[in-house]
Amino acid sequence: MRVIVVNSGSSSIKYETFDLKSLTAASKGLLERIGTEDSRLRHQWLTPAGRWEEIVETRPVVGHREGFSFILEVSGRSRSGSEPPEIFGVGHRVVHGGEKFSEPVIIDNAVLRAIEELIPLAPLHNPANLMGINVMRDLLPRVPQVAVFDTAFHQTMPPRAYHYALPYDFYRTYGVRRYGFHGSSHRYVAREAARHLGVPQDKLNLITLHLGNGASATAIKQGKSIDTSMGLTPLEGLIMGTRCGDLDPAVHFYLARKTGRAVEEVEGILNKESGLRGICGSNDMREIQERAQKGDARAELAVEMFCYRVKKYIGSYYAALGTIDAVVFTGGIGENSALVRTRTCKGLSGLGITVDESRNSAAAGGIREIQTGESRIRILVIPTDEEREIAQQTVEIIERVKGRAR
Ligand code: ADP
């Protein structure tokens, strides 16, 4: 039996299938450039001999329905005609669950309506997620489909953390508040940290740092999110690949007045032309580090700003939590950039956070600890796996609901 995880974006479909018992990956793929003449699918699968093989194919795909048929056809070919595996459930990543969803849910018509009602809060993501759900429901009508929300993990934040200091009515009428995102990643690394440290999750205080192209920090108290850096949208907080993160709100009005740009244009600049790219022209941290090493001042500034912002969040979440057991680095940058980890933690020894340079720069996969022997607080590097987290939550909710029905 398999569990399928689907992440349906506006022009792409990412998917992964897992073995139900072991929750190890059995196949995965990415279809990109949907809606163009040259949509490209890369489908990979694990052979019985334990090797990953792949098919890469390009063809015109007009929409998501055709996209899923393309994926099914190619994955059928990869099995060379043998029977398709039985599907236990499908877990869909849904970006915005608003205040309605603090847990994964089995999708029915009411859930679909609720996700639709949340479109104003996630106008790019929720409609694309819905397309994936609708097609999969048609394709596998008897298989339970589950929605796992990016925002759900953060629904435990107290009001003092999620309210903005705006007229209260904006919250009541328009839902303006901090929701937070990357929930599956923060939840996954918290779970893995607990497993690695041999401590129950509800006994651990953590600061988790998801540093990828999108980036966010979360304060986790006894296993629950009590604050997070992303807000109403994923624009707030840390400096990201192309998003500015925290900004004086007056910058928007000033820019609009000074440059004559419309609100939508300013929104586009803050989301797509800012962050690392805005400072040094690139949003690829690997390339930025190389340039900085060669003396490129803008690239150096971008790295410095990025790390300084993360450090400020560590300080403020330390204060919010009171005590912490570990700082966790994850995401493409958090997992791979020793330089970013070093600079982020530099000067934090007073807080009990000290990186051991040789452990930090050692090339190693999997979970590792990079603090010195004297460091009071552990510093962990944990590879994230949002798909696996979604698969696990999908299995848990289906089993719970089946258990109740028995
Ligand atoms: P996304 O948010 O799109 O999932 P990822 O988590 O894959 O992004 O992170 C992408 C970022 O990770 C890019 O900035 C990339 O340059 C960076 N990255 C990946 N490998 C390294 C590395 N070895 N050193 C520094 N940065 C890296």
Side-chain angles (χ1 to χ4, degrees):
M1 286 265 247
R2 296 263 180 95
V3 183
I4 305 179
V5 171
V6 176
N7 183 352
S8 170
S10 54
S11 65
S12 68
I13 299 167
K14 199 174 164 193
Y15 59 93
E16 190 159 345
T17 73
F18 292 85
D19 177 72
L20 174 63
K21 282 221 173 67
S22 62
L23 280 191
T24 50
S27 66
K28 59 188 170 187
L30 175 65
L31 173 63
E32 291 174 292
R33 301 200 291 264
I34 296 174
T36 69
E37 284 297 304
D38 52 358
S39 306
R40 178 178 178 272
L41 172 63
R42 179 173 188 216
H43 176 77
Q44 298 171 284
W45 70 98
L46 196 62
T47 63
R51 264 196 332 271
W52 282 94
E53 291 200 6
E54 69 172 35
I55 298 176
V56 178
E57 213 169 287
T58 301
R59 71 165 74 152
V61 173
V62 292
H64 284 65
R65 203 163 285 279
E66 296 73 16
F68 278 102
S69 308
F70 185 15
I71 292 167
L72 283 182
E73 184 208 308
V74 170
S75 55
R77 240 189 288 149
S78 76
R79 286 190 305 272
S80 29
S82 62
E83 279 296 293
E86 212 181 322
I87 306 300
F88 179 77
V90 183
H92 295 269
R93 176 187 184 203
V94 180
V95 165
H96 221 303
E99 287 189 328
K100 207 170 172 73
F101 300 105
S102 54
E103 295 264 314
V105 281
I106 301 217
I107 297 169
D108 57 18
N109 290 335
V111 170
L112 279 180
R113 264 197 310 280
I115 297 173
E116 226 172 281
E117 279 163 16
L118 290 163
I119 287 176
L121 288 173
L124 294 179
H125 294 105
N126 274 23
N129 302 154
L130 277 168
M131 278 194 272
I133 294 172
N134 285 326
V135 177
M136 287 305 274
R137 280 183 107 202
D138 290 347
L139 288 173
L140 302 170
R142 274 184 289 278
V143 173
Q145 312 260 337
V146 173
V148 180
F149 301 90
D150 259 22
T151 48
F153 181 56
H154 303 298
Q155 277 297 301
T156 46
M157 283 188 287
R160 64 170 178 271
Y162 71 69
H163 275 296
Y164 291 121
L166 290 168
Y168 198 84
D169 219 37
F170 289 168
Y171 164 65
R172 267 199 303 240
T173 313
Y174 303 111
V176 177
R177 52 158 283 179
R178 175 184 311 286
Y179 291 97
F181 298 87
H182 283 153
S184 295
S185 177
H186 290 289
R187 190 195 288 254
Y188 177 81
V189 296
R191 208 197 280 257
E192 287 291 287
R195 200 170 56 80
H196 171 79
L197 297 172
V199 179
Q201 225 174 313
D202 60 4
K203 296 270 184 306
L204 269 186
N205 286 5
L206 303 171
I207 296 174
T208 50
L209 305 167
H210 178 107
L211 311 179
N213 210 17
S216 65
T218 297
I220 299 178
K221 189 169 194 146
Q222 297 172 345
K224 295 202 163 83
S225 168
I226 62 151
D227 207 347
T228 193
S229 59
M230 285 178 165
L232 173 76
T233 73
L235 189 54
E236 197 182 343
L238 303 181
I239 292 173
M240 307 179 214
T242 63
R243 296 187 202 126
C244 58
D246 293 338
L247 199 67
D248 177 349
V251 170
H252 315 173
F253 330 131
Y254 182 76
L255 270 182
R257 272 198 299 267
K258 271 286 188 200
T259 66
R261 286 187 164 93
V263 175
E264 290 73 20
E265 282 180 276
V266 176
E267 188 180 24
I269 293 169
L270 300 186
N271 273 292
K272 300 199 182 104
E273 295 173 35
S274 300
L276 297 171
R277 179 182 289 166
I279 298 299
C280 72
S282 167
N283 61 324
D284 182 337
M285 185 55 94
R286 230 175 326 199
E287 181 194 318
I288 297 169
Q289 285 182 191
E290 279 167 24
R291 277 173 44 193
Q293 255 160 16
K294 290 187 189 135
D296 181 325
R298 288 287 194 84
E300 172 58 27
L301 176 64
V303 177
E304 265 305 291
M305 288 173 62
F306 183 90
C307 297
Y308 178 62
R309 181 76 56 86
V310 181
K311 186 202 297 242
K312 288 208 292 188
Y313 269 90
I314 294 177
S316 72
Y317 286 169
Y318 202 135
L321 288 163
T323 59
I324 59 171
D325 300 291
V327 173
V328 180
F329 284 91
T330 193
I333 298 172
E335 290 165 33
N336 297 303
S337 173
L339 178 78
V340 166
R341 293 192 298 260
T342 296
R343 293 218 189 161
T344 297
C345 296
K346 199 164 161 217
L348 295 183
S349 55
L351 298 183
I353 299 169
T354 322
V355 168
D356 178 310
E357 276 320 316
S358 61
R359 283 173 154 190
N360 185 34
S361 51
I367 300 184
R368 58 214 174 92
E369 300 192 15
I370 59 161
Q371 76 279 358
T372 61
E374 292 85 58
S375 183
R376 244 184 318 115
I377 289 154
R378 311 244 203 157
I379 309 170
L380 305 178
V381 180
I382 303 185
T384 195
D385 193 340
E386 288 165 277
E387 281 72 27
R388 185 161 178 201
E389 179 62 29
I390 293 171
Q392 172 140 6
Q393 292 196 42
T394 298
V395 173
E396 282 170 6
I397 183 78
I398 294 174
E399 281 178 344
R400 214 180 316 150
V401 170
K402 278 186 177 164
R404 275 205 298 265
R406 274 199 285 270

